[in-house]
Amino acid sequence: MTTTDADTSGSAAAAAAPHPQQPGDDPLNTVQTVTDDAANPAAPGPHGYAQQKDAHIKRLRRIEGQIRGLQRMLEEDVYCIDILTQVSASTKGLQSFGLQLLEEHLRHCVADAAVKGPEAIDAKVQEATKAIERMLRT
């Protein structure tokens, strides 16, 4: 079983494994959609990124290093154009990561929905379309 959290303000919220509500969580600020993956026991994992998880973590750590580099650049009073170049590289890295996750979502979740029927397909395509819209706004 998987759970997807979506912030009602429209900001991107990553798909998350089922989790207990944490202190401070605002139950009125999230919408949860629950799907049953038990119908597809051959699925590689609960999420499309499951097989690439280690590579994704490595990639995000590299991006995190770029962001920390931006902080150091500011602290060291580096020339603003050099900082902007680093901002561009960091942004490109996040966009590339997001596109990879989207591709994996389409391959895994949308393909899985195709087996379940037209209503499931429509729901996953709509979900992917909204994710693309959010990505294009950045």
Side-chain angles (χ1 to χ4, degrees):
M1 182 185 297
T2 60
T3 302
T4 303
D5 292 340
D7 186 308
T8 56
S9 66
S11 65
H19 57 82
Q21 189 165 346
Q22 299 295 318
D25 282 354
D26 182 358
L28 300 177
N29 199 25
T30 59
V31 176
Q32 293 185 341
T33 305
V34 177
T35 59
D36 187 5
D37 285 338
N40 188 3
H47 304 292
Y49 60 80
Q51 292 181 344
Q52 300 294 324
K53 189 173 182 178
D54 290 339
H56 288 322
I57 290 171
K58 183 178 178 180
R59 189 175 200 177
L60 287 171
R61 286 184 178 143
R62 188 170 45 246
I63 294 167
E64 179 183 22
Q66 290 177 310
I67 301 303
R68 286 191 177 140
L70 282 167
Q71 293 170 340
R72 277 191 305 275
M73 292 172 87
L74 282 174
E75 290 168 353
E76 296 170 3
D77 295 321
V78 173
Y79 185 57
C80 53
I81 296 300
D82 294 336
I83 296 172
L84 289 170
T85 300
Q86 184 69 16
V87 167
S88 178
S90 301
T91 301
K92 182 69 174 173
L94 279 173
Q95 288 173 339
S96 179
F97 173 73
L99 286 173
Q100 181 66 40
L101 279 181
L102 179 62
E103 179 181 349
E104 291 167 358
H105 174 71
L106 293 173
R107 290 185 188 281
H108 180 269
C109 300
V110 176
D112 182 56
V115 174
K116 294 179 180 176
E119 288 182 15
I121 293 171
D122 289 344
K124 288 297 179 181
V125 168
Q126 183 179 19
E127 180 182 61
T129 300
K130 289 181 180 180
I132 292 166
E133 287 174 352
R134 287 189 300 267
M135 288 178 69
L136 289 175
R137 281 189 239 141
T138 60

